[in-house]
Amino acid sequence: MPGIATMTLDNMFCTRCGDGFESNEKIVNSNGELWHTNCFVCAQCFRVFPDGVFYEFEGRKYCERDFQVLFAPCCGKCGEFVIGRVIKAMNSNWHPNCFRCEECDLVLADAGFIKHGNRALCHACNARVKADGLQNYMCHKCHGVIDGEPLRFRGEVYHGYHFSCATCSVELDHTAREVKSRPGYAANDVNNLFCLRCHDKMGIPICGACRRPIEERIVTALGKHWHVEHFVCAKCEKPFHGQRHYERRGLAYCELHYHQLFGNMCHVCNQRVAGDVFTALNKAWCVHHFACSVCDAPLSTRSKFYECDERPACRRCYEKFPVELRRRLRRAREYTVRRN
């Protein structure tokens, strides 16, 4: 900030207007240059600097706003002016904290980056994306591309040759099996990995969905064993979690989709029809839900009704339809009868 002093200057003049100073007048002294307080203004908007704060560029002084508009770059992410350290990359300017990996959101200002398909990625994400592009996996240990099926361990993928069987010490491959709870070993210990032959000797059941060992709660159904979360409806794929399931042709269904696919579901309430089923217009209805689609008057098995856009209409509402509409509906019914 410039210094402000009170002095008498008979032989000194304002840098901007060239006039002298009055006795006891407040004078702005900035880098040895003297100014009237009203003359010490922004070179762009000619306004006094708020709180005396200014920015200098090529010998001219600017208020903060005009300096940003004229000279400060805009951040490629947030769009705000960048004051201070500027990261120049990907043909844009960035705040250091705004320049991040587009996959994992890691700050790249000091970590370095790789340009991949017009995106800035950290080194780890670039290797993973490159492996995905080759439709391969990337080893979590050596970060190399895995040719073929990977060994899966604790949610990550590896080359099988990084591990050996805890029983026979043979080098493992993608068929390796993991035992999560083994006495004397931590849950993520590599000594819980076994080759397929040694694992089968342990008698641990295998999930019919994921083909992984089941070491906690187990569901036995359809002649197989399942993890609780993997025993799901064949239609909606939601786990049953102990709820009743229905079996048909080797598959399990929840009650809703079993009756929807193989039973009678009411066209109105979308619930299984309990008791008497009213069948009309190639649909099933609860008896108390079969009603006129216009006035909502209930219809019975003895009621006279007409089809309108695959929905029932009572005689009173049908007779209120325009003549041309009734003629078209009649022709449509006659055409359907002839086809059948």
Side-chain angles (χ1 to χ4, degrees):
M1 291 178 58
I4 298 179
T6 303
M7 61 184 69
T8 301
L9 301 171
D10 296 330
N11 57 348
M12 293 188 177
F13 305 94
C14 175
T15 301
R16 181 166 184 259
C17 68
D19 293 339
F21 300 97
E22 299 293 335
S23 299
N24 298 323
E25 180 182 358
K26 289 186 177 180
I27 302 173
V28 178
N29 184 342
S30 175
N31 297 328
E33 296 180 332
L34 303 179
W35 314 69
H36 293 108
T37 54
N38 292 332
C39 289
F40 191 63
V41 295
C42 173
Q44 179 68 18
C45 66
F46 304 108
R47 294 179 181 177
V48 176
F49 299 112
D51 300 323
V53 177
F54 67 90
Y55 295 81
E56 189 166 355
F57 184 76
E58 294 183 348
R60 306 184 72 185
K61 298 175 176 59
Y62 301 88
C63 63
E64 183 177 13
R65 177 185 177 280
D66 286 329
F67 178 80
Q68 291 176 345
V69 171
L70 292 172
F71 307 112
C74 291
C75 178
K77 181 179 181 180
C78 67
E80 299 293 333
F81 293 113
V82 183
I83 303 298
R85 185 184 179 190
V86 181
I87 303 299
K88 294 182 178 292
M90 306 291 292
N91 298 320
S92 295
N93 300 292
W94 315 80
H95 291 106
N97 195 51
C98 287
F99 188 52
R100 295 171 174 265
C101 173
E102 295 188 35
E103 284 284 326
C104 68
D105 207 37
L106 174 73
V107 175
L108 300 174
D110 299 313
F113 74 99
I114 296 176
K115 183 178 179 180
H116 184 96
N118 293 323
R119 297 195 304 161
L121 304 179
C122 65
H123 292 276
C125 287
N126 178 71
R128 180 176 57 78
V129 170
K130 184 177 180 181
D132 290 343
L134 297 173
Q135 296 183 343
N136 290 327
Y137 296 93
M138 184 179 71
C139 178
H140 185 68
K141 184 173 183 179
C142 69
H143 303 292
V145 175
I146 302 174
D147 295 324
E149 286 294 317
L151 183 152
R152 301 178 183 274
F153 179 57
R154 292 301 170 191
E156 302 292 350
V157 294
Y158 300 86
H159 290 107
Y161 55 72
H162 290 309
F163 304 95
S164 58
C165 174
T167 300
C168 67
S169 299
V170 69
E171 185 179 285
L172 296 177
D173 57 20
H174 69 279
T175 63
R177 294 290 184 260
E178 175 187 352
V179 177
K180 294 183 180 179
S181 55
R182 189 180 177 212
Y185 295 94
N188 60 350
D189 199 316
V190 295
N191 288 308
N192 294 331
L193 284 172
F194 298 86
C195 66
L196 186 60
R197 186 178 65 175
C198 291
H199 183 271
D200 289 345
K201 292 179 179 179
M202 301 172 71
I204 300 176
I206 301 298
C207 176
C210 68
R211 308 305 303 167
R212 307 296 294 175
I214 306 175
E215 300 174 14
E216 299 174 352
R217 294 177 58 193
I218 184 172
V219 175
T220 301
L222 305 176
K224 299 179 182 179
H225 303 294
W226 313 81
H227 287 108
V228 174
E229 64 274 16
H230 290 164
F231 185 55
V232 300
C233 171
K235 176 66 175 178
C236 63
E237 298 185 351
K238 292 182 179 179
F240 293 108
H241 290 306
Q243 299 296 320
R244 182 178 179 181
H245 71 276
Y246 296 78
E247 298 182 9
R248 185 179 178 90
R249 297 178 181 175
L251 299 175
Y253 298 88
C254 63
E255 182 176 12
L256 171 65
H257 289 109
Y258 179 82
H259 290 293
Q260 190 178 73
L261 293 171
F262 311 111
N264 294 312
M265 302 293 293
C266 177
H267 179 65
V268 175
C269 65
N270 200 34
Q271 300 295 320
R272 180 171 62 90
V273 179
D276 294 334
V277 180
F278 189 87
T279 303
L281 308 179
N282 296 320
K283 300 179 179 66
W285 316 71
C286 295
V287 174
H288 57 283
H289 283 157
F290 187 63
C292 174
S293 60
V294 180
C295 67
D296 207 31
L299 299 171
S300 68
T301 55
R302 299 180 180 179
S303 301
K304 177 68 175 179
F305 69 90
Y306 298 84
E307 180 182 355
C308 179
D309 193 19
E310 298 185 353
R311 293 180 297 176
C314 67
R315 181 172 183 175
R316 179 181 300 177
C317 292
Y318 179 79
E319 291 176 348
K320 294 179 181 180
F321 290 167
V323 175
E324 179 61 25
L325 174 59
R326 283 183 286 169
R327 183 181 297 114
R328 292 183 179 182
L329 293 174
R330 184 173 61 255
R331 289 175 181 174
R333 287 197 302 272
E334 292 173 353
Y335 176 74
T336 301
V337 171
R338 287 198 301 270
R339 290 190 59 185
N340 296 333

